[in-house]
Each structure stands twice: as C-alpha cells, then as structure tokens.
Amino acid sequence: MCNIGGRLTSERKRLGCTQAQMAQQGGVSERSQANYESGARSPDLNYCSAIARAGADVQFIITGVRCERQKPDKNTRMLSDEQREILTLWRRVPMRAKSNLMGLLQQLAPHTDVSDLHIEVLDPDRVHDMTPEELEEHRKKHLKNLKSQSPATKAREKRLKAIRRKKAAHKEKENV
C-alpha cells in the first residue's frame, strides 16, 4: 500500500465508508472513485478538499504520514463545517471551564427559541483564576437562573415535584 490509491482505500475503510459514499462525499462518480483507488487516475484538489471536509486525512492519502491534529472516527466523519468548528473550539477549552459550558448546553438544548434567555459568559481570564469550588458554585447559580427562564423547565420541575410528593406520601404509608 505504497501508492495514493491504496492509502485512499485504507482511509475510506478507516472512515467506514463504501466506495459510493466516499464518491458522494468527494463529488465524483463511483467509477472515478474506483479509478482513484485502483491507481488508474489520481484525484484532483477539489476531490481532496471535499473528502477532507468529510473527515479524511488527506495528508496521509498523499504522503503516507498521518496528520496528528486530525484523527476523525466514525462518529465525526459526517460533521458539518460548523459542527467541526465547534468540536475544534471545544478541544481548546480548559477542562475547568468545560463544566460551565456543558451546563449551559444542557439548558439550551430543549429550547427552540433562545432569544429570551439571558446568558452570562465568564471572562476566560477570570475562569483561570477560579477554584473548582467557585466554578461549581457559579455554574449552579447560573443554571438556576436559566431554569427560571425556561417555560419547559418550569413545567418539568412542577412534574418532578409532584412525583417526589407522591413518593414521599407512599413511603409514609409504608412506614405507618
């Protein structure tokens, strides 16, 4: 597997794609894909750019050397450019700040209209100076504020309170 076609085949298989799927990602016909993999033809730059956006390691395909900063797996190969950018940014966020972001994302996920939410974003320099306890306290306070703004969350909290009351009443009956 010392040629471009062999490495292209290897990369396609690593991504879990069929020839038809890879051809579609690259914007070429299945026949062209087969020609690239057999070594009968060499892929052009437009094709290489398109499959790179789909998660292929084009550096490996061309040179045989893996690109260390890009190792997509089956779960990331079909990401949009926007999703890939979010993932790239996420990987740069300090671990201590990720819990804040996760809490924020979990609260925003059920919303279809976030225009009514007031989201406080911490200054990155401030985050670095905060202890884990301070971060957790801030996260809890912020989540409480977000929950109070969401009609869906209010309804969910109301249902949960009713369930807790029923469970408590049931336990009381069992203890009597």
Side-chain angles (χ1 to χ4, degrees):
M1 195 180 349
C2 59
N3 62 25
I4 290 176
R7 290 190 296 267
L8 178 58
T9 302
S10 173
E11 187 65 3
R12 175 180 57 78
K13 289 179 179 177
R14 182 185 70 84
L15 293 171
C17 292
T18 64
Q19 278 191 337
Q21 291 168 329
M22 193 70 142
Q24 182 181 15
Q25 290 294 324
V28 298
S29 68
E30 289 182 50
R31 184 74 195 136
S32 292
Q33 181 69 34
N35 285 336
Y36 296 159
E37 290 186 22
S38 70
R41 290 191 56 219
S42 293
D44 64 16
L45 293 176
N46 290 331
Y47 171 83
C48 290
S49 177
I51 65 170
R53 283 192 301 274
D57 185 348
V58 175
Q59 177 178 316
F60 168 72
I61 294 168
I62 295 170
T63 67
V65 177
R66 288 267 176 217
C67 180
E68 289 302 315
R69 60 182 175 77
Q70 180 187 10
K71 290 187 178 178
D73 58 19
K74 289 181 182 178
N75 297 323
T76 61
R77 68 180 154 82
M78 297 299 194
L79 295 177
S80 68
D81 289 345
E82 181 182 27
Q83 292 167 327
R84 200 171 284 108
E85 182 180 350
I86 290 168
L87 186 57
T88 300
L89 292 172
W90 175 261
R91 289 176 176 152
R92 293 180 190 160
V93 173
M95 189 58 77
R96 291 188 338 183
K98 286 183 179 178
S99 67
N100 277 340
L101 291 173
M102 283 303 294
L104 178 63
L105 290 171
Q106 288 168 352
Q107 291 301 310
L108 291 176
H111 290 281
T112 53
D113 179 20
V114 295
S115 60
D116 62 330
L117 291 177
H118 303 287
I119 299 169
E120 177 187 353
V121 178
L122 283 175
D123 176 8
D125 294 330
R126 184 172 168 224
V127 171
H128 288 293
D129 296 334
M130 295 174 82
T131 66
E133 294 80 19
E134 290 172 326
L135 280 171
E136 182 63 19
E137 182 180 326
H138 181 358
R139 186 184 71 79
K140 286 180 180 176
K141 177 184 166 195
H142 188 63
L143 289 178
K144 186 176 181 180
N145 290 342
L146 283 174
K147 285 180 182 177
S148 68
Q149 298 172 29
S150 164
T153 303
K154 287 179 183 177
R156 189 175 330 126
E157 288 296 321
K158 190 175 181 180
R159 288 191 305 269
L160 286 173
K161 283 180 184 178
I163 291 170
R164 286 186 198 116
R165 279 194 301 266
K166 286 180 183 178
K167 284 183 179 180
H170 184 70
K171 279 186 179 180
E172 281 183 32
K173 288 180 182 178
E174 287 180 351
N175 291 337
V176 175

